[in-house]
Amino acid sequence: MTYAASMTESGDVDLLGALAYAELTAFLRMAEDASQLAPNLTDRAELGSLAVAEYGHFVLLRDRIAELGADPESAMAPFAEAFDAWHEQTKPGDWLQALVKAYVGLGIALDFYREAARHLEPSIAPLVEEVLADQGRSEFVVDRVRAALADDPTQAGRLALWARRLVGEGLSQAQQVAAARPQLARLLADADQADISRLFAQLTEEHGKRMAALGI
Amino acid sequence: MTYAASMTESGDVDLLGALAYAELTAFLRMAEDASQLAPNLTDRAELGSLAVAEYGHFVLLRDRIAELGADPESAMAPFAEAFDAWHEQTKPGDWLQALVKAYVGLGIALDFYREAARHLEPSIAPLVEEVLADQGRSEFVVDRVRAALADDPTQAGRLALWARRLVGEGLSQAQQVAAARPQLARLLADADQADISRLFAQLTEEHGKRMAALGI
């Protein structure tokens, strides 16, 4: 195996490992938020169903990592600290914050899947399709947040601030991961710092569009 | 509709509502325990997969309640307090307690499903089959607990005490539910207090067999 091939493979496993840990953690944290913050059993079940969909993605990613001959736990481990830190710094204080967090988190994850599909295809293509097909599941969040804002428009400022904090903390963790995992950064952004900045700028722009959809 | 028919139907919806809330809550609490207590990512994913299976059962029950023309949220609501109280009183302090709780909780739920199948059939039969088919999923718990006890046999006493507390708190909540929902108690135990005691005695006996399987 050439050095270049081994590098690419390691970047692939890194990317799949990061996404796998992100999905596993999103599943567990969303379930926690649903349990602790949902105002009624229907909403609890709705956020629960989003969480379950995340677990499904985790399983696909874990199996793909194993197919590549890597150990899923080892592939995920380097990213645990960054994702755990993000979740610790962004514990929702109420149901609306939990909804916005779920929506923002899923949105950014989808952006990463799209990037991954550009760089890893065809190995990850069916997985990305399945994840994108699940996108509709988060639409209940848009309904709930818009309804809450219609009832009380003063919530918009608070939630907009919250969403910026979610992204800000996320980019800060991502910068650290990119520095620690150069193969991964190279895979996603063709190596130089300017490209990484461009990738982040694009994620931020997509995020802005999603916030407009929520009305915040 | 005769009085008797309306009573039976209300008992059916009660039973499905209680099981649905139990599954929804088990899903969320197991996910929480997996997130907070699992010693590694593999175990976290394993308990996560048990949690996801619970969510699948919840969906089946919720849909069945809706098919009967009842509102799932209203059907579940009368049982929320008892199940929430049980979970509050039995928060696992470590991973082994979380495993034993998952195993004990699933076991008791299966006993209730079997009772339900005897009394509600044929409406609930396919659902019970699906739940029983999932029984194998909890076998990883047996492996983990037995391995932990092989490493450190002194854990057995502590875990046996924990399992008794889980059942004791459960029976105490169940007594209160049975008193508050006479149709449900009547459905499961043909009405009189002696029968309810017999049902509880049987659940306790099944529980004893499961504890023997765990080695505690």
Side-chain angles (χ1 to χ4, degrees):
Chain A
M1 188 188 294
T2 65
Y3 178 59
S6 123
M7 289 261 297
T8 307
E9 216 173 68
S10 154
D12 281 15
V13 169
D14 260 13
L15 181 54
L16 295 170
L19 287 170
Y21 191 77
E23 294 283 14
L24 178 61
T25 308
F27 154 57
L28 297 167
R29 298 289 180 144
M30 265 187 214
E32 237 177 301
D33 292 346
S35 177
Q36 293 169 5
L37 300 171
N40 56 57
L41 300 179
T42 303
D43 281 354
R44 195 177 286 176
E46 284 274 21
L47 192 59
S49 111
L50 268 192
V52 166
E54 302 290 58
Y55 186 81
H57 304 159
F58 159 73
V59 169
L60 291 171
L61 290 157
R62 184 190 59 189
D63 293 351
R64 187 75 197 110
I65 292 167
E67 279 166 28
L68 291 174
D71 171 49
E73 175 136 4
S74 311
M76 290 191 282
F79 308 102
E81 197 184 324
F83 284 108
D84 288 352
W86 185 70
H87 281 289
E88 282 310 308
Q89 285 152 5
T90 60
K91 270 191 187 294
D94 59 30
W95 177 237
L96 283 175
Q97 288 192 342
L99 287 177
V100 170
K101 180 174 174 178
Y103 194 72
V104 167
L106 283 172
I108 295 179
L110 289 172
D111 292 338
F112 265 101
Y113 276 107
R114 281 196 205 91
E115 279 301 310
R118 282 177 44 200
H119 297 282
L120 289 186
E121 74 189 319
S123 101
I124 206 182
L127 203 155
V128 172
E129 266 168 44
E130 178 150 349
V131 171
L132 293 176
D134 270 341
Q135 197 171 12
R137 287 173 181 272
S138 65
E139 284 313 300
F140 90 95
V141 171
V142 176
D143 292 344
R144 296 294 195 285
V145 173
R146 284 190 162 269
L149 292 178
D151 276 357
D152 178 5
T154 66
Q155 298 279 339
R158 179 178 78 90
L159 292 178
L161 206 66
W162 170 245
R164 278 200 293 279
R165 201 173 123 207
L166 293 168
V167 175
E169 299 284 2
L171 291 182
S172 147
Q173 294 299 332
Q175 292 276 16
Q176 288 174 44
V177 168
R181 311 294 291 186
Q183 309 99 311
L184 177 60
R186 217 167 284 135
L187 181 72
L188 285 173
D190 309 318
D192 72 31
Q193 191 59 38
D195 273 321
I196 293 177
S197 299
R198 218 170 297 145
L199 171 65
F200 285 179
Q202 188 188 325
L203 290 174
T204 310
E205 191 187 324
E206 290 300 318
H207 170 73
K209 289 182 194 160
R210 284 188 292 269
M211 292 307 96
L214 288 180
I216 61 181
Chain B
M1 188 189 291
T2 66
Y3 179 59
S6 120
M7 289 258 298
T8 307
E9 216 173 69
S10 154
D12 282 13
V13 169
D14 261 12
L15 182 54
L16 295 170
L19 288 170
Y21 191 76
E23 295 282 14
L24 178 60
T25 309
F27 154 56
L28 297 167
R29 298 289 181 146
M30 264 186 216
E32 238 177 300
D33 292 345
S35 178
Q36 292 169 6
L37 300 172
N40 55 57
L41 300 180
T42 303
D43 282 354
R44 195 178 287 176
E46 284 275 21
L47 193 59
S49 113
L50 269 192
V52 166
E54 302 291 57
Y55 187 81
H57 304 159
F58 159 73
V59 169
L60 291 172
L61 290 157
R62 183 190 59 188
D63 293 350
R64 187 75 199 114
I65 293 167
E67 279 166 27
L68 291 174
D71 171 50
E73 174 136 5
S74 311
M76 290 191 282
F79 307 101
E81 198 183 323
F83 284 107
D84 287 353
W86 185 69
H87 282 289
E88 282 309 308
Q89 285 152 7
T90 61
K91 270 191 189 294
D94 58 31
W95 177 237
L96 283 175
Q97 288 192 342
L99 287 177
V100 170
K101 180 174 174 178
Y103 194 72
V104 166
L106 283 172
I108 295 180
L110 289 172
D111 292 338
F112 266 101
Y113 275 107
R114 282 196 204 92
E115 279 301 309
R118 281 177 44 199
H119 297 282
L120 290 185
E121 203 190 5
S123 99
I124 206 181
L127 203 154
V128 172
E129 266 167 45
E130 179 149 352
V131 171
L132 293 177
D134 270 341
Q135 197 172 13
R137 287 173 181 271
S138 64
E139 284 314 299
F140 90 95
V141 172
V142 176
D143 292 343
R144 295 295 195 284
V145 173
R146 284 189 163 273
L149 292 178
D151 275 357
D152 177 6
T154 66
Q155 298 280 339
R158 179 178 77 90
L159 292 178
L161 205 67
W162 170 246
R164 278 201 291 281
R165 202 174 122 208
L166 292 168
V167 175
E169 299 283 1
L171 290 182
S172 146
Q173 294 299 333
Q175 292 277 12
Q176 288 174 44
V177 168
R181 311 293 292 184
Q183 307 102 310
L184 177 60
R186 215 169 284 136
L187 180 72
L188 284 174
D190 309 319
D192 71 31
Q193 192 59 37
D195 274 320
I196 293 175
S197 300
R198 219 169 298 145
L199 172 63
F200 285 178
Q202 188 189 325
L203 291 175
T204 310
E205 191 187 324
E206 291 300 319
H207 170 74
K209 289 182 195 160
R210 284 187 293 268
M211 291 308 95
L214 287 181
I216 61 181

